[in-house]
Amino acid sequence: MQLHFLIDGKELHISGSIGISLFPNDGEDIWTLLRDSDIAMYHAKKNGRNNCEFFKPEMNRQAKERHSMEVALRNALKRGELLLHYQPIVNINGGKADGFEVLLRWQHPDDGLIYPIKFIRLAEETGMIIPIGEWLMRQSCLQIKAWQNQGYEVPRLAINLSAIQFRQKIIVENIVRILDKTGVKGHYLTLEITESELIENVEETIKTLQQLSELGIEISIDDFGTGYSNLSFLKRYQINTSKIDRSFVRDIPGDPEDTAIIDAILVMAHALGLEVIAEGVENEQQLAYLVLHGCTRFQGFYFSEPLPATEIEKKWKIRGYSLLTLIS
Ligand code: C2E
Ligand code: CA
Ligand code: CA
């Protein structure tokens, strides 16, 4: 049973997470035992807190791997190992890419190209997402400038913003500084945030989104449909686009539940005046279903994988970023 305390009229709960290591199996001296129980305690916290975990040698290996990855990630930014790929967002009205999503990659000196699924969580947990996010935004703006200087008609770049970045008090200030320094207008940026970021601190969020909108920045809700399904926030916020998560697109048109969800998202988003982008479109059948049900913007391997800037430029040179270039 959890005890609770009444302090200043508020009910506060305290829970404990306990890590246990056993002598002599887990260690023969106090320092080893303490280290191992500490590792086990972190596992207890990670598994929902308020419970206990016994140390297992496997945990030590994971802790070591995590530590070496953390050190490597800290150096990655300094050593220029992070890079950006760009994936076209295609609009069938007009028949070309009207945006690119910026996706982070890590060129690890030993392990090769690492995808964000392997390191974004760690970057968030260690706070490194803040300097990485700022670097990414500056780099994206510099890329816009570079493409403009080469004469390309650059569409908006969509940048993923993690909850930790979004909740920073100085997020708008930081973005304004980067835009000023690089000479790029906010009209060239979309920020992708997830639903869960929108349900906390509603008044503060309304203000932030309003300030971003005044800068010309658009807001996209990422992984739409996977979050809290509290739809009332959609009305209150300055949001332009929702992105249907690729988990719903994967099995259409065969899966009746997914098609029902997609139909519902499209109807609702359009009623609210939101644009919709379907993510993870990999084949013609998925595309045909989405088009038939009123979706006009798409992203996925069917059109193009995320590519480095130089590859994007090659495609651009052929026939502009038209659908024909993308599918051929
Ligand atoms: P996301 O925002 O949902 O990004 C789309 C992901 O779907 C990308 O994976 C992209 O490569 C992948 N994708 C695109 N088209 C297809 C397709 O047709 N089929 C399949 N199976 N996958 C497709 P990626 O680049 O590995 O990124 C994974 C996630 O990591 C992103 O999901 C996003 O949440 C996060 N992420 C990526 N870059 C950043 C970043 O700069 N900052 C933050 N905070 N998160 C990022
Ligand atoms: Ca995204
Ligand atoms: Ca997504």
Side-chain angles (χ1 to χ4, degrees):
M1 196 189 79
Q2 246 187 55
L3 282 179
H4 67 265
F5 301 90
L6 269 178
I7 295 176
D8 214 7
K10 291 199 177 78
E11 195 176 298
L12 301 180
H13 296 261
I14 297 177
S15 66
S17 301
I18 301 170
I20 304 168
S21 57
L22 297 174
F23 173 85
N25 272 3
D26 298 332
E28 295 190 353
D29 61 83
I30 184 75
W31 303 113
T32 311
L33 287 168
L34 272 177
R35 189 200 62 198
D36 291 349
S37 58
D38 196 47
I39 292 172
M41 182 194 67
Y42 276 101
H43 275 259
K45 284 190 175 181
K46 223 168 119 191
N47 292 335
R49 298 168 182 265
N50 201 28
N51 61 19
C52 62
E53 287 270 353
F54 281 89
F55 174 78
K56 296 187 203 80
E58 168 70 8
M59 291 176 179
N60 210 350
R61 193 182 54 76
Q62 282 172 2
K64 275 194 188 140
E65 270 176 21
R66 190 191 140 99
H67 179 72
S68 62
M69 186 127 177
E70 192 181 323
V71 173
L73 189 57
R74 281 192 196 282
N75 288 324
L77 196 54
K78 275 189 269 170
R79 293 182 185 157
E81 292 166 10
L82 297 180
L83 49 107
L84 304 180
H85 281 182
Y86 303 85
Q87 187 178 33
I89 298 167
V90 180
N91 193 331
I92 50 164
N93 295 328
K96 56 180 184 179
D98 64 356
F100 293 105
E101 180 171 1
V102 183
L103 294 156
L104 187 59
R105 305 286 180 255
W106 177 8
Q107 188 65 54
H108 193 283
D110 306 320
D111 302 343
L113 195 66
I114 306 186
Y115 287 83
I117 185 129
K118 290 251 176 76
F119 65 89
I120 285 287
R121 185 82 159 299
L122 182 66
E124 289 177 339
E125 285 168 6
T126 53
M128 271 186 282
I129 194 72
I130 301 283
I132 290 176
E134 283 191 22
W135 170 84
L136 185 137
M137 190 160 302
R138 197 169 346 103
Q139 210 55 30
S140 303
C141 288
L142 290 172
Q143 187 62 69
I144 292 171
K145 259 283 117 20
W147 277 336
Q148 285 173 338
N149 290 341
Q150 289 176 64
Y152 295 115
E153 199 185 308
V154 187
R156 277 184 195 264
L157 296 193
I159 294 174
N160 292 286
L161 211 61
S162 101
I164 294 165
Q165 291 171 276
F166 188 67
R167 291 201 201 110
Q168 264 187 302
K169 287 265 177 289
I170 49 167
I171 179 73
V172 178
E173 220 174 281
N174 280 348
I175 293 174
V176 169
R177 202 187 59 240
I178 292 169
L179 291 174
D180 283 351
K181 277 234 164 101
T182 54
V184 168
K185 295 231 163 31
H187 300 89
Y188 285 97
L189 295 184
T190 297
L191 298 181
E192 296 195 0
I193 54 186
T194 56
E195 275 169 79
S196 47
E197 287 155 52
L198 298 173
I199 58 167
E200 283 178 30
N201 303 328
V202 174
E203 298 311 320
E204 194 68 22
T205 303
I206 290 176
K207 211 170 97 197
T208 306
L209 295 183
Q210 186 59 39
Q211 288 170 330
L212 293 172
S213 163
E214 281 160 15
L215 292 170
I217 295 173
E218 288 198 346
I219 300 293
S220 225
I221 310 183
D222 211 352
D223 307 340
F224 193 75
T226 60
Y228 287 80
S229 66
N230 173 358
L231 300 174
S232 57
F233 66 74
L234 286 178
K235 270 196 324 212
R236 297 195 62 196
Y237 290 148
Q238 185 78 42
I239 293 166
N240 309 85
T241 311
S242 56
K243 297 185 83 173
I244 304 180
D245 192 60
R246 71 170 188 273
S247 59
F248 301 124
V249 173
R250 192 179 48 224
D251 299 325
I252 59 165
D255 186 312
E257 279 175 18
D258 287 341
T259 51
I261 291 171
I262 286 186
D263 295 353
I265 292 177
L266 282 165
V267 168
M268 185 192 59
H270 289 147
L272 288 165
L274 292 177
E275 292 238 13
V276 181
I277 296 171
E279 287 185 331
V281 178
E282 292 183 352
N283 59 52
E284 232 170 290
Q285 291 74 23
Q286 294 166 335
L287 180 64
Y289 183 90
L290 290 158
V291 171
L292 196 67
H293 289 78
C295 189
T296 54
R297 300 178 76 199
F298 312 93
Q299 189 181 341
F301 297 165
Y302 180 65
F303 300 103
S304 168
E305 290 183 10
L307 298 169
T310 46
E311 295 295 314
I312 295 281
E313 286 160 22
K314 275 189 210 152
K315 291 207 179 200
W316 234 328
K317 281 198 184 108
I318 309 171
R319 261 170 293 177
Y321 236 109
S322 74
L323 283 183
L324 286 174
T325 324
L326 288 163
I327 300 172
S328 62

